[in-house]
Amino acid sequence: MGRMSRQSSTAPGPDGAQPGEGQGERGGQRRATVVDVARRAGVSTATVSRVLNRNYPVAAATRERVEAAMRELGYVVNAHARALAGASGRTVGIIVGELIDPFYAYIARGVEREATDGDRLCLVCCTQGDPQRELAFIELMHERRADAVVLVGGSVEDRAYKAELARRARELDAGGAKLVLCGRPSLGEGVPTVGVEYDNEGGAFAITDHLITQGHERILYLGGPPGLSTARDRLAGHRRALELRGIARDPELEQPGAFSRAFGYRRMSELLRAGPEFTAVFAANDIVAAGAAQALEEAGVRIPQDMSLVGYDDIPVAQELRPRLTTVRIPLEEMGRQAVRVALYGGDEDDWRAPTTGTLRLGTHIVVRESVAPPRRTAPGGGASGSGTPTGGTSGNGSSGHGTSGNGAPASGGRRWN
């Protein structure tokens, strides 16, 4: 926890120490940080912060240990930074998995813009997919008295981790702040969080059904870490679409993996050399689709004449690919804005919001471009591809269609192509 806290933010520390202060050199020695004090005293960094700021009651014996550790380590507080850190009620924190991933970047932009509109500072932390860093950053935001902490992206299914996350949510709530779950499942009843989610499973259902209505039955599902809630929901939507259409599920056509271009390229290359027969690819996100498209091009497989390809998210790469990628659009920036609104103001009172749940849900829809066509009679590897004729539906060119729900009915008024 200590190591992660030193890397967490460019904002002043809860005690007023500037970032990097602990790594600075003075007289040939590294200057002590709040983490060093906490370790020496055998307490948390939050306890050290409370001793320094005198904003929470601390047992006398604990206070004495912390103050003794500060004297022993020669800990020095930057008074100006401490005053800045003490400003309450003007900060929103956002915790993302990766700064350069467009999925996180667009949500972060929405959070930052909404925070700025409310005259608040936005602090961004990056976990690199480490749940323990995530927990550490939430504690750090709590120490900085952030009004809201927005936690973005899927979560791992781990009981101990969820219990720790719930505990931090209660600590934030007790201090008048909110933990916002953005694009991830609830922590359960009784845990004081608010949420912003999107129709993740419905979008996967709709894009799979779109492929099926074009005549595809052998659809490869590619990418998505199996332990991540986002990937589980997308795979569940894909499976339900197959089941509704009476298509038997083939485990060989489910190839989980990283949400990365490298995985999409590598696994697609392997499957083209020695893998099951398929006529269409549902990439778990647009980045995976970009890697798969590269592998298909290098193998001489044309999109969509020989192989149809779809993605998920509708980030800029979807329009940069040639042909342009049919995908599922998530309102990423709007999710970020709404995350701040539900935390600070209770959210927009629209018909599609269920206020009793504390969760606001945004819709997804298909964006139909040029990467899907009916399958050929012979697959690129030489196997039979199926009927070769569509079973219904039409394709479009750069137009948007609404996703369908899990029972096959339109989720938002039916699919349309303009």
Side-chain angles (χ1 to χ4, degrees):
M1 293 283 284
R3 177 181 62 81
M4 291 181 280
S5 294
R6 289 201 297 272
Q7 300 171 347
S8 58
S9 172
T10 58
D15 53 288
Q18 290 285 10
E21 190 172 17
Q23 289 75 30
E25 299 291 333
R26 186 175 63 178
Q29 294 183 343
R30 184 179 69 87
R31 290 194 290 187
T33 69
V34 66
V35 177
D36 298 322
V37 174
R39 186 180 295 116
R40 175 67 66 91
V43 299
S44 69
T45 55
T47 299
V48 175
S49 176
R50 290 163 185 167
V51 170
L52 289 166
N53 294 318
R54 299 182 181 276
N55 56 346
Y56 288 94
V58 177
T62 303
R63 181 180 296 277
E64 289 174 3
R65 289 207 316 276
V66 172
E67 290 174 345
M70 291 170 60
R71 289 192 298 271
E72 292 166 7
L73 294 170
Y75 182 75
V76 178
V77 177
N78 182 311
H80 175 74
R82 181 175 175 180
L84 179 60
S88 176
R90 310 310 307 166
T91 303
V92 171
I94 176 172
I95 301 173
V96 300
E98 176 55 72
L99 290 173
I100 61 173
D101 186 320
F103 177 89
Y104 294 111
Y106 279 100
I107 293 176
R109 184 165 75 175
V111 170
E112 191 277 331
R113 288 182 172 178
E114 190 66 27
T116 299
D117 288 348
D119 296 323
R120 285 176 168 81
L121 177 68
C122 181
L123 301 178
V124 182
C125 300
C126 179
T127 69
Q128 297 294 332
D130 184 348
Q132 294 306 311
R133 287 174 64 88
E134 187 174 271
L135 295 172
F137 289 147
I138 295 172
E139 183 173 339
L140 186 71
M141 292 297 105
H142 180 46
E143 292 171 11
R144 281 166 171 71
R145 304 190 193 103
D147 292 327
V149 179
V150 182
L151 197 53
V152 181
S155 62
V156 295
E157 191 60 40
D158 182 276
R159 184 174 299 179
Y161 159 77
K162 290 181 70 174
E164 281 296 305
L165 195 56
R167 181 176 68 80
R168 283 163 171 76
R170 294 186 181 97
E171 289 178 350
L172 285 170
D173 187 67
K178 282 294 181 187
L179 180 65
V180 187
L181 305 177
C182 187
R184 66 167 57 193
S186 167
L187 295 176
E189 294 184 10
V191 181
T193 63
V194 292
V196 177
E197 62 183 27
Y198 58 97
D199 191 8
N200 190 20
E201 190 172 337
F205 180 97
I207 199 76
T208 301
D209 194 60
H210 175 62
L211 289 172
I212 295 171
T213 60
Q214 293 299 301
H216 296 279
E217 296 187 357
R218 301 287 296 174
I219 302 170
L220 172 70
Y221 181 88
L222 183 66
L228 197 66
S229 59
T230 303
R232 290 197 305 269
D233 288 348
R234 292 182 187 181
L235 182 56
H238 171 70
R239 288 173 176 173
R240 288 195 296 108
L242 295 175
E243 182 180 4
L244 183 70
R245 293 288 186 171
I247 299 172
R249 175 189 163 212
D250 184 347
E252 289 190 357
L253 292 178
E254 294 176 3
Q255 299 287 332
F259 275 134
S260 71
R261 183 169 188 148
F263 171 80
Y265 173 79
R266 184 183 70 254
R267 194 71 188 108
M268 177 58 70
S269 298
E270 295 168 350
L271 292 169
L272 288 173
R273 287 194 299 268
E277 168 208 328
F278 51 91
T279 64
V281 181
F282 174 10
N285 71 4
D286 295 343
I287 298 295
V288 174
Q294 181 183 350
L296 290 167
E297 180 182 14
E298 291 180 2
V301 179
R302 299 170 301 168
I303 303 171
Q305 295 93 330
D306 304 321
M307 182 76 66
S308 289
L309 176 67
V310 300
Y312 207 115
D313 291 347
D314 197 28
I315 58 176
V317 71
Q319 295 197 59
E320 294 164 2
L321 290 174
R322 290 296 179 269
R324 298 184 306 158
L325 186 68
T326 292
T327 187
V328 177
R329 178 175 294 166
I330 304 173
L332 296 171
E333 187 170 331
E334 182 62 16
M335 284 180 64
R337 283 188 172 274
Q338 291 292 348
V340 177
R341 292 172 188 166
V342 297
L344 301 181
Y345 318 117
D348 294 339
E349 297 299 329
D350 293 319
D351 291 341
W352 40 265
R353 179 171 181 258
T356 57
T357 67
T359 298
L360 183 150
R361 194 177 206 208
L362 304 179
T364 56
H365 63 267
I366 301 174
V367 179
V368 180
R369 298 191 177 104
E370 299 92 21
S371 64
V372 175
R376 298 175 62 189
R377 286 190 176 276
T378 303
S385 67
S387 66
T389 57
T391 59
T394 58
S395 64
N397 187 357
S399 59
S400 299
H402 289 285
T404 57
S405 65
N407 60 9
S412 306
R415 188 185 302 134
R416 69 172 186 272
W417 289 268
N418 298 323

